Amino acid sequence: MYVSLFQLWSFNSFRNPFRINREDVMKVSKIKSLATYHKCIRELHQAGFIIYSPSYNAYRGSLIEMTNFDSEAIVESTLVQDQKAFSGKEYHFTAPMFNEVELYFNERDFPSAEASAFYSFYQSRNWLLYNSKLMTSWEAAARNWISELKKSDRNVRTKNNSQ
């Protein structure tokens, strides 16, 4: 995705910031899933490669500012961040935005109401699991949530069929 953003930046005469259209970025990056798109853009932003300012207006597009890596200090601090990120010893959970959760549920053919219930439940718990440990993957929690919904739906159908 970074190479695709760099290509779009060059089309915009290397102006910072520049506007992007999600569909264009996904097409150039060959990404088909909205959840994957949001995950990649968030990771690039968190790693310091870009500064991402989302726009919820489909006609305006989001703003992207590419980081200038000419400065040695920026390169060194980025390398230190990369070493921490890939050491495996330290992991920082980032709570998802609601639209990411909604996309995740919609891609699995579940209504936005279920995404809202999931998001509200874990948001109220500060993204802690049942054992009071910090969540490491909200996607895994969402898969468990969906799995429980499917089980309860099967139980309701079985109960109705036996009556």
Side-chain angles (χ1 to χ4, degrees), residues 5-161:
L5 291 173
F6 194 88
Q7 184 179 12
L8 293 170
W9 186 38
S10 71
F11 290 147
N12 284 283
S13 304
F14 299 102
R15 281 179 279 158
N16 261 336
F18 64 100
R19 294 205 178 273
I20 62 165
N21 179 327
R22 181 181 67 214
E23 288 81 22
D24 293 342
V25 174
M26 288 177 68
K27 184 176 179 182
V28 173
S29 301
K30 296 185 171 137
I31 294 174
K32 295 184 181 183
S33 166
L34 291 173
T36 302
Y37 166 81
H38 286 289
K39 178 184 176 203
C40 291
I41 202 98
R42 184 180 69 236
E43 287 177 355
L44 286 172
H45 176 75
Q46 288 173 342
F49 290 103
I50 63 170
I51 298 171
Y52 175 62
S53 301
S55 168
Y56 300 103
N57 182 339
Y59 298 106
R60 286 187 65 199
S62 299
L63 280 176
I64 297 286
E65 184 174 339
M66 302 296 280
T67 303
N68 183 358
F69 290 107
D70 287 342
S71 169
E72 287 182 28
I74 291 174
V75 172
E76 288 176 17
S77 69
T78 303
L79 290 174
V80 169
Q81 287 175 356
D82 287 346
Q83 288 172 352
K84 287 181 183 175
F86 296 111
S87 67
K89 296 178 184 175
E90 192 174 321
Y91 179 79
H92 295 287
F93 173 75
T94 304
M97 293 183 284
F98 174 72
N99 63 342
E100 292 176 284
V101 173
E102 186 176 32
L103 288 171
Y104 192 85
F105 274 75
N106 290 342
E107 286 177 347
R108 284 149 185 82
D109 297 325
F110 280 87
S112 297
E114 282 303 328
S116 180
F118 169 83
Y119 188 83
S120 297
F121 177 78
Y122 281 107
Q123 185 72 19
S124 69
R125 296 177 52 89
N126 292 323
W127 298 96
L128 294 177
L129 299 172
Y130 289 104
N131 55 6
S132 297
K133 288 186 179 180
L134 184 62
M135 186 180 291
T136 56
S137 171
W138 69 264
E139 292 96 339
R143 283 191 298 274
N144 288 337
W145 184 281
I146 289 169
S147 176
E148 291 299 320
L149 287 173
K150 287 179 180 177
K151 283 181 191 175
S152 66
D153 187 40
R154 269 186 249 131
N155 291 340
V156 168
R157 273 191 262 137
T158 303
K159 188 176 179 179
N160 289 340
N161 287 340

